[in-house]
Amino acid sequence: LTGLASLGAAMLGGPLTLTRLLQAHSLGVGASAFLGLSFLVPLWRTGLALRRSLLRELLTYARWPALCQGAESLQINLAPFLVIAWAGTTAAGLFSMGRYPAFVFGVVTVALYQYWLPAASRQNGHAQFSSFFRRQIRLAAFMGAAMVVCALAASPLLPLLGPSFAAAGLLFLVNALDFAVLVLTKPVDAVYHGLRKPQLEL
């Protein structure tokens, strides 16, 4: 919400430029971090008592999601540099313009994943996992299709944001399709964690 608010303020403040978009993004991320930390103040005051054995277990388990997210982050952030190297800075700018509005679908994907992870951890046995996976993959397919439909409906509005966004309209649709496919993988990843096999996600 803080990110959307900062983006809305940037849009109302005048013509959108890459600098203004990056400033809005930084402001939104900073505000969300500050807000998130404020929720932890009661925990700091009362103190957290973690047994060493539990802490070691958590760290051992967490290495797999950390490696997975690191690989995913490398893939995502490497893409613009590859576009610059092979297609030039203009194409890289269009790529970024097409990618940025599609990140709203990434927010939806992360929100669903945060629901699927704890839900999968409560499943037990082959029958429960099979039923859970069938239900959630149907939900993921519906959300993926909804993302594509929303992108098709929103793409005619991109020219209103300026000529750069107008030129990046097709890339926006491709990026929305990218997130639609990504959301289909998240129930699978959640089941891996539910089965206590996080290494499969990597």
Side-chain angles (χ1 to χ4, degrees), residues 84-107:
I84 289 174
W86 288 340
T89 54
T90 301
L94 288 175
F95 173 82
S96 297
M97 286 290 190
R99 185 76 175 172
Y100 195 88
F103 272 126
V104 68
F105 301 125
V107 173

Side-chain angles (χ1 to χ4, degrees), residues 61-127:
Y61 189 93
R63 65 183 174 182
W64 297 109
L67 286 170
C68 183
Q69 292 301 313
E72 184 178 338
S73 179
L74 178 63
Q75 175 194 351
I76 292 171
N77 291 296
L78 194 60
F81 294 102
L82 294 177
V83 176
I84 289 174
W86 288 340
T89 54
T90 301
L94 288 175
F95 173 82
S96 297
M97 286 290 190
R99 185 76 175 172
Y100 195 88
F103 272 126
V104 68
F105 301 125
V107 173
V108 174
T109 302
V110 170
L112 285 170
Y113 191 43
Q114 289 174 339
Y115 155 71
W116 282 324
L117 273 177
S121 70
R122 292 192 293 269
Q123 308 305 306
N124 187 26
H126 182 271

Side-chain angles (χ1 to χ4, degrees), residues 1-13 23-25 27-29 31-32 100:
L1 291 176
T2 57
L4 289 173
S6 62
L7 179 60
M11 292 173 63
L12 294 174
Q23 288 172 344
H25 177 70
L27 180 62
V29 170
S32 64
Y100 195 88

Side-chain angles (χ1 to χ4, degrees), residues 110-202:
V110 170
L112 285 170
Y113 191 43
Q114 289 174 339
Y115 155 71
W116 282 324
L117 273 177
S121 70
R122 292 192 293 269
Q123 308 305 306
N124 187 26
H126 182 271
Q128 283 193 9
F129 273 111
S130 297
S131 176
F132 171 81
F133 180 71
R134 283 195 297 270
R135 292 195 314 271
Q136 305 314 323
I137 203 69
R138 284 197 294 266
L139 174 59
F142 172 79
M143 293 305 300
M147 289 177 186
V148 175
V149 170
C150 288
L152 288 170
S155 58
L157 303 176
L158 289 180
L160 300 177
L161 301 177
S164 297
F165 279 99
L170 179 59
L171 291 171
F172 167 66
L173 293 175
V174 174
N175 278 289
L177 182 61
D178 178 32
F179 283 110
V181 174
L182 177 64
V183 77
L184 288 173
T185 70
K186 292 306 177 183
V188 182
D189 293 340
V191 169
Y192 290 156
H193 286 276
L195 293 169
R196 304 299 188 268
K197 295 182 178 180
Q199 66 274 18
L200 295 178
E201 184 182 8
L202 179 63

